[in-house]
Amino acid sequence: MAYVPGAPFFCGDPDPGAMRLSFTTHSPDEIREGLRRLAKSFA
């Protein structure tokens, strides 16, 4: 999974707290595991 700041992807006023995640090169199982880890980090 790749992480980049989300602000450059806004058409209007950017949200400085936004992030962009790319899952295009990962299998569904890897995506599920990545999202599980991400959710755990936010809990």
Side-chain angles (χ1 to χ4, degrees):
M1 171 177 19
Y3 162 81
V4 294
F9 298 94
F10 278 74
C11 320
D13 293 330
D15 177 351
M19 66 179 168
R20 183 177 172 101
L21 303 173
S22 174
F23 300 99
T24 60
T25 60
H26 299 283
S27 71
D29 287 338
E30 290 172 315
I31 294 169
R32 274 189 285 280
E33 177 62 16
L35 290 174
R36 186 191 68 77
R37 292 180 186 188
L38 185 62
K40 187 176 177 181
S41 73
F42 285 124

